[in-house]
Structures are given as C-alpha cells and as structure tokens.
Coordinates of all heavy atoms in Angstrom, one line a residue:
M1 N 216.9 212.0 373.5 CA 215.8 211.4 374.1 C 214.7 211.0 373.1 O 214.3 211.8 372.2 CB 215.1 212.4 375.2 CG 213.9 211.8 375.8 SD 213.3 212.8 377.2 CE 212.7 214.2 376.5
A2 N 214.3 209.8 373.1 CA 213.3 209.2 372.3 C 211.9 209.9 372.5 O 211.6 209.9 373.7 CB 213.2 207.7 372.3
K3 N 211.2 210.2 371.5 CA 209.8 210.7 371.6 C 208.7 209.6 371.4 O 209.0 208.7 370.5 CB 209.6 211.8 370.7 CG 210.4 213.0 370.9 CD 210.0 214.2 370.0 CE 210.8 215.4 370.5 NZ 210.4 216.5 369.7
E4 N 207.7 209.5 372.2 CA 206.8 208.6 372.0 C 205.9 208.9 370.7 O 205.7 209.9 370.5 CB 205.8 208.8 373.2 CG 204.7 207.6 373.2 CD 203.8 207.8 374.5 OE1 204.1 208.7 375.3 OE2 202.9 207.0 374.6
Q5 N 205.7 207.8 370.0 CA 205.0 207.8 368.8 C 203.5 207.6 369.2 O 203.0 206.5 369.0 CB 205.4 206.9 367.7 CG 206.8 207.3 367.3 CD 207.3 206.3 366.3 OE1 206.7 205.4 365.9 NE2 208.6 206.6 365.7
T6 N 202.6 208.6 369.5 CA 201.3 208.2 369.9 C 200.4 208.3 368.6 O 200.7 208.9 367.6 CB 200.8 209.4 370.8 OG1 200.9 210.7 370.2 CG2 201.6 209.5 372.1
Q7 N 199.3 207.6 368.7 CA 198.4 207.7 367.5 C 197.9 209.0 367.3 O 197.8 209.3 366.0 CB 197.3 206.6 367.9 CG 196.3 206.4 366.8 CD 195.3 205.4 367.0 OE1 195.0 205.0 368.1 NE2 194.6 204.9 366.0
E8 N 197.7 209.8 368.1 CA 197.1 211.1 367.9 C 198.2 212.1 367.3 O 197.8 212.8 366.4 CB 196.7 211.8 369.2 CG 195.5 211.0 369.9 CD 196.0 209.9 370.7 OE1 197.2 209.8 371.1 OE2 195.2 208.9 370.8
H9 N 199.3 212.1 367.6 CA 200.4 212.9 367.2 C 201.0 212.6 365.9 O 201.5 213.3 365.2 CB 201.4 213.2 368.3 CG 200.8 213.9 369.5 ND1 199.9 214.9 369.5 CD2 200.9 213.7 370.9 CE1 199.5 215.3 370.7 NE2 200.2 214.5 371.6
M10 N 201.3 211.3 365.8 CA 202.0 210.8 364.7 C 201.4 209.5 364.1 O 201.8 208.3 364.4 CB 203.4 210.4 365.0 CG 204.3 211.7 365.6 SD 206.0 211.2 366.0 CE 206.6 211.2 364.5
P11 N 200.2 209.6 363.5 CA 199.4 208.5 363.2 C 200.0 207.5 362.3 O 199.8 206.3 362.4 CB 198.1 208.9 362.6 CG 198.5 210.4 362.2 CD 199.5 210.8 363.1
F12 N 200.8 207.9 361.3 CA 201.4 207.0 360.3 C 202.6 206.2 361.0 O 202.8 205.0 360.7 CB 202.0 207.7 359.1 CG 200.7 208.3 358.3 CD1 200.9 209.6 357.7 CD2 199.6 207.6 358.0 CE1 199.8 210.0 357.0 CE2 198.6 208.1 357.3 CZ 198.7 209.4 356.8
D13 N 203.4 206.9 361.8 CA 204.5 206.3 362.5 C 203.9 205.3 363.5 O 204.5 204.2 363.6 CB 205.4 207.4 363.1 CG 206.2 208.1 362.2 OD1 206.3 207.7 361.1 OD2 206.7 209.1 362.6
W14 N 202.9 205.7 364.2 CA 202.2 204.8 365.2 C 201.8 203.6 364.5 O 202.0 202.4 365.1 CB 201.2 205.6 366.0 CG 200.5 204.7 366.9 CD1 200.7 204.4 368.2 CD2 199.3 203.9 366.5 NE1 199.9 203.4 368.7 CE2 199.0 203.2 367.8 CE3 198.5 203.7 365.6 CZ2 197.9 202.3 367.8 CZ3 197.5 202.8 365.4 CH2 197.1 202.1 366.7
A15 N 201.0 203.8 363.4 CA 200.4 202.5 362.8 C 201.5 201.7 362.2 O 201.3 200.5 362.3 CB 199.5 203.1 361.6
E16 N 202.6 202.2 361.6 CA 203.6 201.3 361.1 C 204.3 200.5 362.1 O 204.4 199.4 362.1 CB 204.7 202.1 360.3 CG 205.7 201.3 359.6 CD 206.6 202.1 358.7 OE1 206.7 203.4 358.9 OE2 207.2 201.5 358.0
S17 N 204.5 201.2 363.2 CA 205.2 200.5 364.4 C 204.2 199.4 365.0 O 204.7 198.3 365.2 CB 205.5 201.4 365.5 OG 206.5 202.4 365.1
T18 N 203.1 199.8 365.2 CA 202.0 198.9 365.7 C 201.7 197.8 364.8 O 201.7 196.6 365.3 CB 200.8 199.7 366.0 OG1 201.0 200.7 366.9 CG2 199.7 198.8 366.5
G19 N 201.6 198.0 363.5 CA 201.3 197.0 362.5 C 202.6 196.1 362.4 O 202.3 194.8 362.3
N20 N 203.7 196.6 362.3 CA 204.9 195.6 362.2 C 205.2 194.8 363.4 O 205.5 193.7 363.3 CB 206.2 196.6 362.0 CG 206.2 197.2 360.6 OD1 205.5 196.7 359.6 ND2 207.1 198.1 360.4
Q21 N 204.8 195.3 364.6 CA 204.9 194.5 365.9 C 203.8 193.4 365.7 O 204.1 192.4 366.2 CB 204.7 195.4 367.0 CG 204.8 194.6 368.4 CD 204.6 195.6 369.5 OE1 203.6 196.3 369.5 NE2 205.5 195.4 370.6
G22 N 202.7 193.9 365.2 CA 201.6 192.8 365.1 C 201.9 191.7 364.3 O 201.7 190.5 364.5
V23 N 202.5 192.0 363.1 CA 203.1 190.9 362.2 C 204.1 190.0 362.9 O 204.0 188.9 362.7 CB 203.6 191.5 360.9 CG1 204.3 190.5 360.1 CG2 202.6 192.3 360.1
A24 N 205.0 190.7 363.6 CA 206.0 189.9 364.5 C 205.3 189.0 365.4 O 205.6 187.8 365.7 CB 207.0 190.8 365.0
L25 N 204.3 189.5 366.1 CA 203.6 188.7 367.2 C 202.9 187.6 366.5 O 202.7 186.5 367.1 CB 202.5 189.6 367.9 CG 203.2 190.6 368.8 CD1 202.1 191.6 369.4 CD2 203.9 189.8 370.1
R26 N 202.2 187.9 365.3 CA 201.6 186.8 364.6 C 202.5 185.6 364.2 O 202.2 184.5 364.4 CB 201.0 187.3 363.2 CG 200.3 186.2 362.5 CD 199.7 186.6 361.1 NE 200.9 187.1 360.3 CZ 201.7 186.3 359.5 NH1 201.6 185.0 359.7 NH2 202.6 186.9 358.8
L27 N 203.8 186.0 363.9 CA 204.7 184.8 363.5 C 205.1 184.1 364.8 O 205.2 182.9 364.8 CB 205.9 185.5 362.9 CG 205.8 186.0 361.6 CD1 207.0 186.9 361.1 CD2 205.5 185.0 360.5
L28 N 205.4 184.8 366.0 CA 205.5 184.2 367.3 C 204.4 183.3 367.7 O 204.5 182.2 368.2 CB 205.8 185.2 368.3 CG 207.2 185.8 368.3 CD1 207.2 186.9 369.3 CD2 208.3 184.8 368.6
A29 N 203.1 183.8 367.5 CA 202.0 183.0 367.9 C 201.8 181.8 367.1 O 201.4 180.7 367.6 CB 200.7 183.9 367.7
E30 N 202.1 181.9 365.8 CA 202.0 180.8 365.0 C 203.0 179.6 365.4 O 202.7 178.5 365.5 CB 202.2 181.1 363.6 CG 201.9 180.0 362.5 CD 201.8 180.6 361.1 OE1 202.4 181.6 360.9 OE2 201.2 180.0 360.3
R31 N 204.2 180.2 365.7 CA 205.3 179.1 366.1 C 205.0 178.5 367.4 O 205.3 177.3 367.6 CB 206.6 179.8 366.2 CG 207.1 180.2 364.7 CD 208.5 180.8 364.8 NE 208.9 181.2 363.5 CZ 209.6 182.3 363.2 NH1 210.2 183.0 364.2 NH2 210.0 182.5 362.0
R32 N 204.5 179.3 368.3 CA 204.2 178.8 369.7 C 202.8 178.2 369.8 O 202.6 177.5 370.9 CB 204.4 179.9 370.8 CG 205.8 180.5 370.8 CD 206.0 181.6 371.7 NE 207.3 182.0 371.8 CZ 207.6 183.1 372.4 NH1 206.7 183.8 373.0 NH2 208.9 183.5 372.5
G33 N 201.8 178.4 368.9 CA 200.5 178.0 369.1 C 199.9 178.7 370.1 O 198.9 178.2 370.9
D34 N 200.0 180.0 370.3 CA 199.7 180.7 371.4 C 198.4 181.7 371.0 O 198.6 182.7 370.3 CB 200.8 181.7 371.9 CG 200.5 182.6 373.0 OD1 199.2 182.8 373.4 OD2 201.4 183.2 373.7
L35 N 197.3 181.5 371.5 CA 196.1 182.1 371.1 C 196.0 183.6 371.6 O 195.7 184.4 370.9 CB 194.8 181.4 371.6 CG 193.4 182.0 371.4 CD1 193.2 182.3 369.8 CD2 192.3 181.2 371.9
A36 N 196.5 183.8 372.9 CA 196.5 185.2 373.4 C 197.4 186.1 372.5 O 196.9 187.2 372.1 CB 197.0 185.1 374.8
T37 N 198.6 185.7 372.1 CA 199.5 186.4 371.3 C 198.8 186.6 369.8 O 199.0 187.7 369.3 CB 200.9 185.8 371.2 OG1 201.4 185.6 372.5 CG2 201.8 186.6 370.4
A38 N 198.2 185.6 369.4 CA 197.5 185.8 368.1 C 196.5 186.8 368.1 O 196.3 187.5 367.2 CB 197.0 184.3 367.7
G39 N 195.8 186.8 369.2 CA 194.6 187.8 369.4 C 195.2 189.2 369.4 O 194.6 190.1 368.8
Q40 N 196.3 189.4 370.0 CA 197.0 190.7 370.2 C 197.5 191.0 368.9 O 197.5 192.2 368.4 CB 198.2 190.6 371.2 CG 198.9 192.1 371.4 CD 198.0 193.0 372.0 OE1 197.2 192.8 372.8 NE2 198.2 194.2 371.4
A41 N 198.1 190.0 368.2 CA 198.6 190.4 366.8 C 197.4 190.8 365.9 O 197.6 191.9 365.2 CB 199.3 189.1 366.2
L42 N 196.3 190.2 365.9 CA 195.2 190.6 365.1 C 194.7 192.0 365.5 O 194.4 192.8 364.5 CB 194.1 189.6 365.2 CG 192.8 189.8 364.4 CD1 193.0 190.0 363.0 CD2 191.7 188.8 364.8
A43 N 194.7 192.3 366.6 CA 194.3 193.6 367.1 C 195.1 194.7 366.6 O 194.8 195.7 366.2 CB 194.1 193.6 368.6
Q44 N 196.5 194.5 366.7 CA 197.5 195.5 366.3 C 197.4 195.6 364.8 O 197.5 196.7 364.3 CB 198.8 195.1 366.8 CG 198.9 195.4 368.3 CD 200.3 195.1 368.8 OE1 200.4 194.7 369.9 NE2 201.4 195.6 368.0
I45 N 197.3 194.5 364.0 CA 197.4 194.6 362.6 C 196.0 195.3 362.2 O 196.1 196.2 361.4 CB 197.5 193.2 362.0 CG1 198.8 192.5 362.3 CG2 197.2 193.3 360.4 CD1 199.0 191.0 362.0
T46 N 195.0 195.0 362.7 CA 193.6 195.6 362.3 C 193.8 197.2 362.7 O 193.2 197.9 361.9 CB 192.5 195.0 363.0 OG1 192.5 193.5 362.8 CG2 191.3 195.6 362.8
A47 N 194.3 197.5 363.8 CA 194.4 198.9 364.1 C 195.3 199.7 363.1 O 195.0 200.8 362.7 CB 194.9 199.1 365.6
A48 N 196.4 199.1 362.8 CA 197.3 199.7 361.8 C 196.5 199.9 360.4 O 196.6 200.9 359.8 CB 198.5 198.9 361.6
F49 N 195.8 198.8 360.0 CA 195.1 198.9 358.8 C 194.0 200.0 358.8 O 193.9 200.7 357.9 CB 194.4 197.6 358.5 CG 193.5 197.5 357.3 CD1 193.8 197.9 356.1 CD2 192.1 197.3 357.6 CE1 192.9 197.9 355.1 CE2 191.2 197.3 356.6 CZ 191.6 197.6 355.3
E50 N 193.2 200.0 359.8 CA 192.2 201.0 359.9 C 192.8 202.4 360.0 O 192.1 203.3 359.4 CB 191.3 200.7 361.2 CG 190.5 199.4 361.0 CD 189.8 199.1 362.3 OE1 190.1 199.6 363.3 OE2 189.0 198.1 362.2
T51 N 193.8 202.8 360.7 CA 194.6 203.9 360.6 C 195.0 204.4 359.3 O 194.7 205.5 358.9 CB 195.7 204.0 361.7 OG1 195.2 203.6 362.9 CG2 196.4 205.4 361.6
F52 N 195.6 203.6 358.7 CA 196.0 203.8 357.2 C 194.9 204.1 356.3 O 194.8 204.9 355.4 CB 197.0 202.9 356.7 CG 198.4 202.8 357.2 CD1 199.0 201.8 357.8 CD2 199.1 204.1 357.1 CE1 200.2 201.9 358.3 CE2 200.4 204.1 357.6 CZ 201.0 203.0 358.3
L53 N 193.8 203.3 356.5 CA 192.6 203.3 355.6 C 191.9 204.7 355.9 O 191.5 205.2 354.8 CB 191.8 202.2 355.9 CG 190.5 201.9 355.1 CD1 191.0 201.7 353.5 CD2 189.7 200.8 355.4
E54 N 191.8 205.0 357.1 CA 191.1 206.2 357.4 C 191.8 207.5 356.7 O 191.2 208.5 356.3 CB 191.0 206.5 358.8 CG 190.0 205.7 359.6 CD 190.1 205.8 361.2 OE1 191.0 206.8 361.6 OE2 189.5 205.0 361.9
E55 N 193.1 207.4 356.6 CA 193.8 208.5 356.0 C 194.2 208.3 354.5 O 194.9 209.1 353.9 CB 195.2 208.7 356.9 CG 195.0 208.9 358.2 CD 194.3 210.3 358.5 OE1 194.6 211.3 357.8 OE2 193.5 210.5 359.6
H56 N 193.6 207.3 353.9 CA 193.8 206.9 352.6 C 195.3 206.9 352.2 O 195.7 207.4 351.2 CB 193.1 208.0 351.6 CG 191.7 208.3 351.9 ND1 190.8 207.3 351.6 CD2 191.1 209.2 352.6 CE1 189.5 207.7 352.1 NE2 189.7 208.9 352.6
H57 N 195.9 206.2 353.1 CA 197.5 206.0 352.9 C 197.8 204.7 352.2 O 197.1 203.7 352.5 CB 198.1 206.0 354.4 CG 199.6 206.2 354.3 ND1 200.4 205.0 354.0 CD2 200.3 207.3 354.6 CE1 201.7 205.5 354.1 NE2 201.7 206.8 354.4
M58 N 198.7 204.8 351.3 CA 198.9 203.6 350.5 C 199.4 202.3 351.3 O 199.3 201.3 350.8 CB 199.9 203.9 349.4 CG 201.3 204.3 349.9 SD 202.4 204.6 348.5 CE 203.8 205.3 349.4
S59 N 199.8 202.5 352.5 CA 200.3 201.4 353.3 C 199.1 200.6 353.8 O 199.3 199.5 354.3 CB 201.1 201.9 354.6 OG 202.3 202.4 354.1
A60 N 197.9 201.1 353.6 CA 196.7 200.3 354.0 C 196.7 198.9 353.4 O 196.4 198.0 354.1 CB 195.4 201.0 353.7
T61 N 197.1 198.9 352.0 CA 197.1 197.6 351.4 C 198.0 196.6 352.0 O 197.7 195.3 352.0 CB 197.4 197.7 349.9 OG1 198.7 198.5 349.7 CG2 196.3 198.6 349.3
D62 N 199.2 197.0 352.6 CA 200.2 196.1 353.2 C 199.5 195.4 354.4 O 199.6 194.1 354.5 CB 201.3 196.9 353.7 CG 202.2 197.5 352.5 OD1 202.1 197.1 351.5 OD2 202.9 198.5 352.9
Y63 N 198.8 196.2 355.2 CA 198.1 195.5 356.4 C 196.8 194.9 356.1 O 196.4 194.0 356.7 CB 198.0 196.6 357.5 CG 199.3 197.0 358.0 CD1 199.9 198.2 357.5 CD2 200.1 196.2 358.8 CE1 201.2 198.5 357.9 CE2 201.4 196.5 359.1 CZ 202.0 197.7 358.7 OH 203.2 198.1 359.0
E64 N 196.1 195.3 355.0 CA 194.9 194.7 354.5 C 195.2 193.3 354.2 O 194.3 192.4 354.6 CB 194.4 195.3 353.4 CG 193.1 194.9 352.9 CD 192.5 195.6 351.7 OE1 193.3 196.2 350.8 OE2 191.2 195.5 351.5
A65 N 196.3 192.9 353.6 CA 196.6 191.5 353.4 C 197.0 190.8 354.6 O 196.8 189.5 354.6 CB 197.9 191.6 352.4
Q66 N 197.4 191.4 355.6 CA 197.9 190.7 356.8 C 196.6 190.3 357.6 O 196.6 189.3 358.6 CB 198.8 191.5 357.6 CG 200.2 191.6 357.1 CD 200.9 190.3 357.1 OE1 200.8 189.4 358.0 NE2 201.7 190.1 356.1
V67 N 195.6 191.0 357.7 CA 194.4 190.9 358.5 C 193.8 189.5 358.4 O 193.6 188.8 359.4 CB 193.3 192.0 358.3 CG1 192.1 191.7 359.1 CG2 193.8 193.4 358.9
P68 N 193.6 189.0 357.1 CA 193.0 187.8 357.1 C 193.9 186.6 357.5 O 193.4 185.5 358.1 CB 192.5 187.5 355.6 CG 193.2 188.6 354.9 CD 193.5 189.8 355.9
I69 N 195.0 186.8 357.3 CA 196.1 185.8 357.8 C 196.1 185.7 359.3 O 196.1 184.6 359.8 CB 197.5 186.2 357.2 CG1 197.6 186.1 355.8 CG2 198.5 185.3 357.9 CD1 198.9 186.7 355.2
A70 N 196.1 186.9 360.0 CA 196.0 186.9 361.4 C 194.6 186.4 362.0 O 194.6 185.6 362.9 CB 196.3 188.3 361.9
R71 N 193.6 186.7 361.2 CA 192.3 186.2 361.6 C 192.1 184.7 361.6 O 191.6 184.0 362.5 CB 191.2 186.9 360.9 CG 189.8 186.5 361.3 CD 188.7 187.3 360.5 NE 188.8 188.7 360.8 CZ 189.0 189.7 359.8 NH1 188.9 189.4 358.6 NH2 189.0 191.0 360.2
A72 N 192.7 184.2 360.4 CA 192.8 182.7 360.2 C 193.5 182.0 361.4 O 193.0 180.9 361.8 CB 193.3 182.4 359.0
L73 N 194.6 182.5 361.7 CA 195.5 182.0 362.8 C 194.6 182.0 364.1 O 194.5 180.9 364.8 CB 196.8 182.8 363.0 CG 197.7 182.3 364.1 CD1 198.1 180.8 364.0 CD2 198.8 183.2 364.3
V74 N 194.0 183.1 364.4 CA 193.1 183.1 365.6 C 192.2 182.0 365.6 O 191.9 181.2 366.6 CB 192.6 184.4 365.9 CG1 191.6 184.4 366.9 CG2 193.6 185.5 366.2
E75 N 191.4 181.8 364.5 CA 190.3 180.9 364.3 C 190.9 179.5 364.5 O 190.3 178.5 365.1 CB 189.7 181.0 363.0 CG 188.8 182.3 362.9 CD 187.7 182.4 364.0 OE1 187.1 181.4 364.4 OE2 187.6 183.5 364.7
R76 N 192.1 179.3 363.8 CA 192.7 177.9 364.0 C 193.1 177.6 365.3 O 192.9 176.4 365.8 CB 193.9 177.8 363.0 CG 194.5 176.4 362.7 CD 195.6 176.4 361.7 NE 196.7 177.3 362.0 CZ 197.2 178.2 361.2 NH1 196.4 178.6 360.2 NH2 198.2 178.8 361.5
L77 N 193.7 178.4 366.0 CA 194.1 178.2 367.4 C 192.9 178.1 368.4 O 193.1 177.6 369.5 CB 195.0 179.3 368.0 CG 196.4 179.4 367.1 CD1 197.2 180.5 367.7 CD2 197.1 178.0 367.4
R78 N 191.7 178.7 368.1 CA 190.6 178.5 368.9 C 190.0 177.1 368.9 O 189.3 176.7 369.8 CB 189.5 179.5 368.5 CG 189.7 180.9 369.0 CD 188.5 181.8 368.7 NE 188.8 183.1 369.3 CZ 188.3 184.2 368.7 NH1 187.5 184.2 367.7 NH2 188.6 185.4 369.2
K79 N 190.2 176.5 367.8 CA 189.6 175.0 367.7 C 190.3 174.1 368.6 O 191.6 174.1 368.8 CB 189.7 174.5 366.2 CG 189.0 175.4 365.3 CD 189.0 174.8 363.9 CE 188.2 175.7 363.0 NZ 188.3 175.3 361.6
P80 N 189.6 173.2 369.3 CA 190.1 172.3 370.1 C 191.0 171.3 369.5 O 190.9 171.0 368.4 CB 188.9 171.8 371.0 CG 187.8 172.1 370.2 CD 188.1 173.2 369.2

C-alpha cells in the first residue's frame, strides 16, 4: 500500500514531488497557453522552494531557478 507523502511527515519527499509536478505543469501551461495551469505551477514550485529553503536543503537552488521562469510565464499569459 502506498503511503501519502504529507508536507508535515515527509517534507523533503513532499517538496520534491510537489516541485517536480509544478515544473511539469509549467511546461504544459507554456505549450497550451493556459494561465490557470501556469498559476498552479508557480504555486507548487514556490512551495517546494520555500520548504527546501526553510530546512537549508541543497535542493532549494534547483527550485529557486524555476521560480522566476514560472513567474515570467504567468505574467506573459496575463497580458492580453
């Protein structure tokens, strides 16, 4: 039986799963021009980054680089 990777019980596993899903969502949003998906991607990538940063985990830098990319996509898709 698979166990749920909650943020409280397994913060690094949760952050990695959430962040990787965020990166995948960003790629989908970019291909589809989907603002809602881009916003979800930004939220997930930011959450992963903040979790790793709080724990001084070296993976923080991986997601730190993704945050501005996701933010730029959201801003680009918001423009009419």
